[in-house]
Amino acid sequence: MSQEIAVIGSPEFTTGFRLAGVRKFADVPADEKDEQLDGAVEEMLTDDDVGIVVMHDDDLSHLSRGVRKDAETSVEPVLVTLGGGTGSGGLREQIKRAIGIDLMDED
């Protein structure tokens, strides 16, 4: 069974993914993120067809504590955040969580 990539965020953020062929998305306008982002994330996290959820790192601050915890600890689907200065440490942790091992560990 193959799973899909889903993207959540502003229409400006999701457009590039949609043009690249991502079919599952949730457009949440910037002025409605506080009201709608939790619902969009919960919907994607419970969708069995979704294996990866992509969001902008800055959007995490708009999530309620519970939804943010669920998203950050979710293994399937895995949450990948882009932008916002996540840096290599954040990306390293996301990869480790997604595949279960630390590819950059030198031990």
Side-chain angles (χ1 to χ4, degrees), residues 24-97:
K24 291 200 178 258
F25 63 94
D27 283 337
V28 181
D31 59 340
E32 298 176 13
K33 285 186 180 177
D34 290 331
E35 297 84 25
Q36 295 184 12
L37 204 55
D38 274 1
V41 171
E42 288 174 330
E43 181 179 334
M44 294 298 180
L45 290 178
T46 58
D47 188 333
D48 291 336
D49 294 332
V50 174
I52 299 172
V53 176
V54 179
M55 290 180 61
H56 194 282
D57 190 59
D58 292 343
D59 288 345
L60 291 177
S61 64
H62 294 278
L63 296 175
S64 66
R65 181 176 294 150
V67 173
R68 181 176 178 156
K69 181 181 177 199
D70 290 345
E72 289 178 334
T73 59
S74 178
V75 175
E76 190 175 309
V78 65
L79 174 69
V80 176
T81 58
L82 303 175
T86 301
S88 63
L91 181 58
R92 179 179 181 174
E93 286 303 313
Q94 290 177 23
I95 293 169
K96 182 178 172 182
R97 189 180 49 181

Side-chain angles (χ1 to χ4, degrees), residues 1 3-4 11 42 46 71 86 101-102:
M1 173 173 98
Q3 294 181 305
E4 296 188 53
E42 288 174 330
T46 58
T86 301
I101 60 171
D102 188 350

Side-chain angles (χ1 to χ4, degrees), residues 7-15 18 25-29 32 36 40:
V7 62
I8 303 170
S10 67
E12 296 81 14
F13 182 75
T14 63
T15 297
R18 291 170 48 206
F25 63 94
D27 283 337
V28 181
E32 298 176 13
Q36 295 184 12

